[in-house]
Amino acid sequence: MKLVNVILMLLFFITLPVNVQTAKGDMIAEWTFDDIEGRRVKDHGSGSWDFIDGHFDIVDGVVGKAIKCDGFTTSIARGEPERDEDDEDENEDENEGERYEQEISDPVIAEAFTIEAWVAPQAYPWNWCAVYNQEYKKARGVFFGIDGEGRVGLHTAVTRQWRECVSQDKIPFMAWSYIAATFHPESGMRVYINGQLSGELHVKGDLLYDREFPMQIARNHEPMSPSSLNRAGFVNVPVKYSFDGIIDELKITRGVLDSSQLLKNYQRLKPSKAPELVWRKLPKIPTDNAEFGAFYTKLNYDADWDRLWRDDRFPDIVITFDEQKYSMVFWKGTNYNMNLITENGKWIGDQSAETFGEFGCMEHMSDKQNRYSHVRLIENSDARIVVHWRYALTDINYTIANTDSKTNWGDWADEYYYVYPDGIAVRHYLIHGIENGGYSVTEPALFCSPGEKPEDNIDMVAVTVANLAGKTSSHSFETWPAEDNNDDEEVGRFKNSVDNEVLSVINVKSKAKPFFIYEHENSIGPYGGGKREIDYRLSKFHWRNHWPVTQIPSDGRFILSNDRVTSSAITSPRSGIKRETENGPLEGRFILGISEEPAEALVPFARFWINTPKLKINSQNFTYNGFSRNDRAYHFTKNDSAATEIAMTVSASESSPLVNPVFVVKNWNSDSLKLKINGAQQKESDGVKYSIRKTLESQDLIVWLELNENKTTKLTFRQ
């Protein structure tokens, strides 16, 4: 009977997993993350209760529980972090310090070792990011983590040289991976993914180690410059960030586990379900039972990102339209440019006024925290909505362009968006700057949520352009649409474009599509004039992720993966900008909107806005002040308070039609309107919208009409 018991005991120990067999004597550190109390997590190797700093969540792991890091603030270290005396932490009770008092030193990694972890990145880091870090300025110690493309690395100081062993393969984001690495002074360094050897570095020598090196999990000790910057030579700011995703079963043992042992560990714990991560998505705009109006609101993106912002309930503005599913949105995540959002959630944004300085682009995209950029509602009525956007032209260090040494004022911009019930808006921009020719203003850009490519959201034939004659041409990005265009006079335009184009439609994969109309002919071309800038194997479109949403100080970062929100500039129009009054700001304007109509059907409106039909008033006591492209409106002033009627004749024609016109009558001073078109009384309906604008000086009438006339038209407004 004793012999049977001995045999059974031997069989029990033989069948134990290798890492369990070696755990007692060879364990250096082990964080299973099943034991988290407040802000403390237990290291089962030493018994230490280590401190979790920043924000984190406890989620399901491959075994038991795991820690989800937020990508911004999370880290784990031994001992207490430095805190102000009045700094309170809701996750830690007042007796916790005494409860976890300890004199346990940081792990000692001074000889052959194996390090293992299960990870599920929500997104790849901006550059290398530690899963486990105990290094000093790439001169001593050990670093184990992943890079901005999902490669796994073991970096160590061997014989006084910093050595880096990097995997050939990449781990996926939004999925579990088992990563491991080994070091031996005779055979060198090896990196494994899911139990398979993926990288090795043959190097001999001992580790250079110091017992004073503090360990840190999920965060680098020092800030690091992001990878893949498009101006890395001079716009290169080291940034602080954390691991973004889930870490579980982190373990360090003495000695080297071979590939068969690591493969067994992988197979033993391989999870059957996906990690507890939610795909990040650009905000969804509620448009059920929509009506024309503007609304202050707060659009959420992701809990970890939302938590960073120091704002309250109403930082954003959303404009919706009668019985339509599309919308126009001013969102803090895009630094408040207007975004055109289709019925199925495709986003087209745009840039601000932009100039260039010693530290790169100076524009709204660089104002990551919206220190200068903000929006406010000026008008919100049945007839129209006016949104004011104000911002500084700043670089990523928040330095404002062309700052005057005497006054300390630099370049600022005011923009006014005049939005009407037909889904068409005017963007009127004014730049308070000193440069006459040093600014650009617009580059319509497609946004993609994580996991998406531009090709998922936009047709390969991405742009259709049209001229005022109604001729169109469509342009594919299958090959870069201007790469063979070497004619100096044609630089910046699409190949084989129709002549004199003024209108462009961005062919996103939706029913309603964004469109733009510019004052000047021959002004529309592919982004950057068709010059190639990046490796286009990942996408046929230009593709970056420094904006929107991104919080790192960067004015340009090329795509390594579709793990983050991205932007793809589609066109680079010349919208026009000049100083229109002496000593006044630099000004310009263009049309932007959303429509289900094809480009040809939008041409009549372009003719109206550019070749506006002449108008003559037939009433005394009113002054006609002309048509303004800034708000697409005919303007009048009532000079006699007793006057009650204004009559006008518009000389519309096919080349100069009257399409959805707007009329503004200053000093109307009445709440009522009776409208006649060609003698016929009109009822207020979806095709007739008016409102009374009350100011400190006057009460003004604003009228929008759904109208399409190419012959002489008579209108009468009566109180």
Side-chain angles (χ1 to χ4, degrees):
M1 193 67 180
K2 289 183 179 180
L3 180 59
V4 172
N5 289 337
V6 170
I7 293 172
L8 289 173
M9 290 180 66
L10 287 172
L11 288 172
F12 172 77
F13 284 108
I14 290 172
T15 56
L16 278 175
V18 174
N19 60 337
V20 176
Q21 291 182 56
T22 59
K24 288 292 185 180
D26 297 330
M27 185 67 66
I28 297 175
E30 181 182 27
W31 296 268
T32 66
F33 300 103
D34 295 329
D35 300 288
I36 296 179
E37 299 181 4
R39 284 195 171 273
R40 298 286 181 169
V41 58
K42 187 173 184 179
D43 167 16
H44 290 271
S46 66
S48 171
W49 285 89
D50 298 324
F51 188 85
I52 309 173
D53 199 14
H55 188 85
F56 66 95
D57 291 300
I58 302 171
V59 298
D60 290 338
V62 292
V63 176
K65 296 299 180 180
I67 186 169
K68 181 181 179 295
C69 309
D70 71 350
F72 301 104
T73 64
T74 317
S75 66
I76 301 173
R78 192 143 296 177
E80 283 288 340
E82 295 184 2
R83 292 183 179 275
D84 296 332
E85 291 182 2
D86 58 350
D87 190 13
E88 297 182 359
D89 188 341
E90 61 182 10
N91 291 306
E92 186 172 14
D93 63 52
E94 60 184 22
N95 298 317
E96 191 165 346
E98 297 178 6
R99 180 181 176 189
Y100 296 108
E101 283 184 358
Q102 53 192 12
E103 296 294 336
I104 300 174
S105 62
D106 289 89
V108 176
I109 306 174
E111 52 190 332
F113 71 90
T114 300
I115 185 167
E116 314 162 61
W118 283 87
V119 296
Q122 175 90 46
Y124 298 132
W126 296 111
N127 203 324
W128 283 102
C129 182
V131 173
Y132 181 87
N133 187 10
Q134 204 169 354
E135 57 91 15
Y136 177 73
K137 295 184 177 180
K138 293 188 177 182
R140 300 179 181 180
V142 172
F143 174 99
F144 177 60
I146 65 173
D147 73 358
E149 297 182 71
R151 293 177 296 189
V152 182
L154 176 65
H155 307 169
T156 63
V158 182
T159 59
R160 298 188 179 278
Q161 291 188 42
W162 190 249
R163 306 283 190 169
E164 298 185 356
C165 179
V166 180
S167 67
Q168 295 180 349
D169 304 302
K170 303 172 184 179
I171 64 173
F173 63 97
M174 299 296 290
W176 283 113
S177 294
Y178 171 61
I179 61 175
T182 64
F183 167 80
H184 192 282
E186 295 297 323
S187 57
M189 303 153 66
R190 292 176 180 169
V191 174
Y192 298 82
I193 296 176
N194 294 336
Q196 302 291 332
L197 180 65
S198 186
E200 59 184 326
L201 182 65
H202 299 288
V203 59
K204 289 188 177 183
D206 295 327
L207 289 174
L208 184 59
Y209 176 79
D210 190 316
R211 289 179 179 272
E212 295 182 0
F213 295 157
M215 72 91 177
Q216 188 163 239
I217 295 169
R219 192 173 179 89
N220 300 336
H221 282 304
E222 300 291 336
M224 179 172 283
S225 297
S227 59
S228 195
L229 297 175
N230 66 319
R231 275 178 282 274
F234 65 101
V235 186
N236 192 339
V237 178
V239 296
K240 299 177 181 180
Y241 51 88
S242 296
F243 187 84
D244 188 358
I246 303 173
I247 300 175
D248 195 12
E249 305 300 316
L250 173 59
K251 182 185 303 184
I252 309 170
T253 54
R254 297 180 184 86
V256 172
L257 298 183
D258 62 29
S259 58
S260 63
Q261 294 169 318
L262 293 171
L263 182 59
K264 288 179 181 178
N265 287 349
Y266 166 68
Q267 293 172 338
R268 179 173 59 87
L269 295 181
K270 182 179 179 181
S272 59
K273 63 179 182 178
E276 197 174 325
L277 298 171
V278 177
W279 281 95
R280 292 166 176 158
K281 294 290 184 182
L282 288 165
K284 180 177 174 58
I285 310 303
T287 54
D288 293 339
N289 303 314
E291 59 183 33
F292 181 61
F295 306 91
Y296 280 109
T297 187
K298 186 171 187 174
L299 298 174
N300 294 320
Y301 167 63
D302 169 77
D304 293 326
W305 184 86
D306 296 337
R307 191 182 300 110
L308 296 173
W309 290 88
R310 304 297 191 258
D311 57 18
D312 200 25
R313 295 178 293 164
F314 304 109
D316 310 312
I317 295 175
V318 170
I319 299 173
T320 59
F321 299 86
D322 291 335
E323 300 179 357
Q324 299 293 338
K325 296 294 185 181
Y326 54 71
S327 57
M328 297 178 177
V329 172
F330 299 82
W331 180 44
K332 66 185 178 187
T334 63
N335 309 110
Y336 292 122
N337 60 275
M338 178 193 271
N339 302 285
L340 306 175
I341 304 177
T342 66
E343 82 287 343
N344 59 346
K346 310 302 182 188
W347 284 58
I348 291 287
D350 206 348
Q351 73 168 53
S352 68
E354 175 188 9
T355 187
F356 203 80
E358 294 182 2
F359 223 77
C361 296
M362 309 186 85
E363 57 184 336
H364 81 305
M365 299 181 197
S366 298
D367 187 4
K368 302 299 184 181
Q369 297 179 347
N370 294 324
R371 296 185 186 183
Y372 308 123
S373 182
H374 65 275
V375 287
R376 57 179 180 157
L377 274 171
I378 304 298
E379 295 179 25
N380 188 10
S381 71
D382 290 343
R384 78 175 181 188
I385 294 162
V386 181
V387 177
H388 174 216
W389 177 29
R390 181 166 169 81
Y391 56 90
L393 280 66
T394 178
D395 65 19
I396 58 175
N397 292 320
Y398 297 100
T399 300
I400 299 176
N402 299 314
T403 298
D404 188 291
S405 59
K406 295 179 181 178
T407 66
N408 209 34
W409 277 96
D411 287 357
W412 285 78
D414 288 293
E415 298 201 12
Y416 296 90
Y417 290 80
Y418 296 86
V419 185
Y420 295 95
D422 53 8
I424 303 176
V426 184
R427 177 184 174 188
H428 176 212
Y429 44 89
L430 304 95
I431 305 171
H432 310 285
I434 62 174
E435 300 181 14
N436 285 322
Y439 303 97
S440 61
V441 176
T442 177
E443 286 173 348
L446 171 74
F447 299 152
C448 295
S449 292
E452 298 175 345
K453 296 175 60 176
E455 285 83 347
D456 296 326
N457 293 313
I458 191 169
D459 290 337
M460 194 57 66
V461 180
V463 179
T464 298
V465 299
N467 59 25
L468 292 179
K471 294 181 179 180
T472 66
S473 59
S474 295
H475 302 278
S476 173
F477 281 63
E478 186 64 47
T479 58
W480 196 238
E483 60 181 339
D484 299 325
N485 194 342
N486 295 316
D487 187 339
D488 290 341
E489 295 183 359
E490 298 292 318
V491 167
R493 296 181 64 209
F494 285 103
K495 290 187 298 183
N496 303 316
S497 172
V498 296
D499 293 329
N500 306 317
E501 78 283 358
V502 295
L503 184 152
S504 64
V505 176
I506 308 299
N507 294 320
V508 294
K509 294 182 177 180
S510 60
K511 292 180 180 178
K513 301 184 188 301
F515 69 91
F516 301 84
I517 301 172
Y518 306 98
E519 294 178 286
H520 307 290
E521 297 177 338
N522 299 322
S523 61
I524 304 170
Y527 168 75
K531 296 179 181 178
R532 287 181 172 271
E533 291 187 354
I534 60 175
D535 183 346
Y536 289 91
R537 287 176 293 180
L538 292 175
S539 173
K540 298 291 186 180
F541 294 89
H542 190 80
W543 205 16
R544 298 184 183 181
N545 65 6
H546 68 289
W547 174 81
V549 172
T550 298
Q551 290 292 288
I552 64 166
S554 169
D555 74 334
R557 184 176 187 262
F558 297 126
I559 293 298
L560 298 175
S561 174
N562 60 343
D563 55 330
R564 299 178 183 273
V565 173
T566 61
S567 62
S568 298
I570 305 300
T571 61
S572 287
R574 294 191 293 272
S575 59
I577 180 170
K578 64 180 181 179
R579 212 174 294 277
E580 298 182 354
T581 59
E582 187 178 358
N583 300 321
L586 294 157
E587 291 187 62
R589 76 285 299 153
F590 61 86
I591 294 288
L592 65 165
I594 311 177
S595 176
E596 294 184 10
E597 299 292 336
E600 297 89 337
L602 299 171
V603 168
F605 180 83
R607 292 173 183 161
F608 162 70
W609 187 66
I610 295 173
N611 298 328
T612 308
K614 293 182 179 180
L615 181 148
K616 181 180 179 181
I617 58 173
N618 306 315
S619 304
Q620 295 181 348
N621 302 319
F622 286 85
T623 300
Y624 173 47
N625 302 315
F627 178 84
S628 175
R629 289 182 187 166
N630 292 339
D631 64 353
R632 69 181 252 206
Y634 293 99
H635 287 260
F636 311 85
T637 301
K638 187 172 81 168
N639 303 314
D640 185 345
S641 60
T644 60
E645 180 178 291
I646 177 173
M648 64 195 76
T649 300
V650 182
S651 301
S653 65
E654 186 174 349
S655 62
S656 183
L658 186 65
V659 183
N660 293 5
V662 179
F663 304 87
V664 178
V665 184
K666 188 174 182 180
N667 299 328
W668 184 249
N669 295 334
S670 172
D671 291 334
S672 65
L673 171 68
K674 295 179 181 179
L675 169 66
K676 289 183 179 181
I677 300 177
N678 293 326
Q681 187 72 47
Q682 306 295 308
K683 295 180 179 180
E684 187 176 2
S685 63
D686 291 339
V688 178
K689 300 283 190 181
Y690 79 93
S691 62
I692 304 301
R693 177 182 63 189
K694 296 181 179 181
T695 72
L696 290 174
E697 296 84 17
S698 62
Q699 293 185 22
D700 310 327
L701 173 68
I702 300 173
V703 182
W704 171 86
L705 301 178
E706 186 176 27
L707 198 64
N708 191 343
E709 294 287 348
N710 56 14
K711 61 182 182 298
T712 298
T713 304
K714 295 183 177 182
L715 301 100
T716 303
F717 298 165
R718 186 175 182 181
Q719 293 180 354

